[in-house]
Amino acid sequence: MAKQNVAEQFVDILARAGVKRLYGVVGDSLNPVVDAIRRNSAIDWIHVRHEETAAFAAGAEAQITGSLAACAGSCGPGNLHLINGLYDAHRSMAPVLALASHIPSSEIGLGYFQETHPELLFQECSHYNEMISNPEQMPRLLQTAIQHAIGRGGVSVVSMPGDVASKPAPEKSIEHALVTARPTVRPGDDEIDKLCRMVDEAKRVTLFCGSGTAGAHAEVMEFAEKIKSPVGHALRGKEWIQYDNPYDVGMSGLLGYGAAYEATNECDLLVLLGTDFPYNAFLPDDVKIVQVDVRPEHLGRRSKLDLAVWGDVRETLRCLTPRVKPKSDRKFLDRMLKKHANALEGVVKAYTRKVEKHVPIHPEYVASVLDEMADDDAVFTVDTGMNNVWAARYLTPNGKRRVIGSFSHGSMANALPQAIGAQFTDLNRQVVAMSGDGGFSMLMGDFLTLVQHDLPVKVVLFNNSSLGMVELEMLVAGLPSYGTTNKNPDFAAIARAAGAYGVRVEKPKQLQNALKDAFKYKGPALVDVVTDPNALSIPPKISADMVTGFALSASKIVLDGGVGRMLQMARSNLRNVPRP
């Protein structure tokens, strides 16, 4: 049997760690690794058209599966292209291993062709970032990188010169058992006791939930019922906490709606559960705040805490809920539920007014129909910008659907490449990319990746020929919109020319059949929907502070648009409010 080289050992270890595929673009310094993958049946090479797509796809795969995913770039410009997608994966706490191939080891530091310094470039977007400069560092360095990515939740980067990858692997190298899953973390009894006392002493408690509540829906609902607490959420908490939630008061933040802002600011005790909510202007500064998070570095970095609790949300609530005293007073909860329903009633009329005849098409209508027609277990990937608004308002979570976007990093062009990674995890699951025309056109070349791999991703393109969110930001700041207009082609024609299904929708009555046909199509499909660029309207009452930016209460920055099935949910929850 021929002796392994370093590249072959590298690929074997990735496969042992559960990596199924490596996304990237081939290149000379990367060739030994790609060739090792060609000869290894346990792992596939996924050829994309841009390395940024490779990193986004790996990050999405990791978020869907919860397991390690991987991407790679060749030396210099190749691996440099990974950086934006790696930032997104890192800030999304997605376990991703990135291989940054490097120039010949003898030329490092001498200004060689395509020379960069990956160990410096990726420092800020990784938990671990080291170079294999000698075969003797294998396999320990790669194993360490894998355990950083999985154990801490985020990115590890391994740099490796192509000549090192081709060298023989060291004899008698030690390969230890790999960590492939994270443990649960339970707070200490002292913290649980302190939190219990604070909950018991408070008359009005509000829970505000983020992505850290994944897997803890039942525990949050049980706790909310026992203490009669309204439950709000951040955007990344929507898919985990909004469904089957009789205590729902909506979302706070820049895209907020409903009564979440009021509930978090009018309580006696605010309990932040698994959220690293970045907009501290929306958080109160005159109520007691407790934060529960599995990552201790997140505790207290947004607001002043009265108690910091280091632990998983699910394990913390399992310890806490049996200890707290049940509350019987529902006045605060019921008042917030009524406010929430009234707030949604107030904005829904803009969506319901002649939308089925309005041309150009209301984007709210597109999102609402898409929500109705998509599968119950669909994966939605959402472009940054106004598509975040439509996803926040109209996508209805149910415990099986997933919604992935660049919600922490805020990058453009994320939806299409994230859909690639999501689709590879299950070719039979419906994956829908909610793309804006600005984001789609930025990485449009990787629509060809869908065709090349015959991925049945459905791209629903909200085409308003503008950078809508940027336009709104300018208007709110009192500036005329400038540089925000896109001169677009017929994207559906481009899709057809690429070998995919493509249809252009310009009238509302065409929409349902277009989506139905696209969803039935076996391969990749694009539905180019021409939407109203004037759908964004400034709230009717603009305060003097509003022109300073978005750091305002949710009630002031809610766009004058609809809210889809959330209104039905709010009305349903009002049935729990006792009648006078």
Side-chain angles (χ1 to χ4, degrees), residues 270-344:
L270 175 61
V271 182
L272 306 175
L273 295 175
T275 179
D276 193 33
F277 182 70
Y279 308 110
N280 56 5
F282 290 85
L283 297 175
D285 54 14
D286 56 352
V287 303
K288 291 182 178 180
I289 300 179
V290 172
Q291 184 178 358
V292 179
D293 206 293
V294 74
R295 299 183 70 161
E297 66 270 23
H298 288 180
L299 294 170
R301 72 176 183 176
R302 307 299 185 196
S303 57
K304 183 179 180 296
L305 300 182
D306 294 273
L307 180 63
V309 180
W310 181 11
D312 297 326
V313 172
R314 183 172 63 179
E315 295 303 315
T316 300
L317 293 183
R318 284 178 174 178
C319 295
L320 176 66
T321 301
R323 301 192 192 188
V324 297
K325 298 175 183 177
K327 297 184 187 295
S328 58
D329 188 345
R330 289 182 53 105
K331 291 180 182 177
F332 178 61
L333 171 61
D334 293 342
R335 182 161 62 88
M336 290 301 115
L337 290 174
K338 289 179 181 178
K339 276 194 172 186
H340 180 60
N342 290 339
L344 299 192

Side-chain angles (χ1 to χ4, degrees), residues 159-220:
S159 308
M160 183 164 61
D163 59 306
V164 174
S166 297
K167 290 181 179 180
E171 294 184 8
K172 299 180 181 179
S173 58
I174 300 173
E175 294 187 6
H176 57 72
L178 289 168
V179 171
T180 57
R182 299 178 68 183
T184 57
V185 178
R186 179 199 183 280
D189 287 335
D190 287 347
E191 283 69 32
I192 294 293
D193 289 341
K194 290 176 184 176
L195 178 52
C196 183
R197 285 195 297 271
M198 292 178 72
V199 172
D200 287 345
E201 291 170 1
K203 292 184 177 179
R204 302 183 302 275
V205 182
T206 292
L207 308 182
F208 186 68
C209 304
S211 61
T213 57
H217 183 275
E219 286 77 9
V220 174

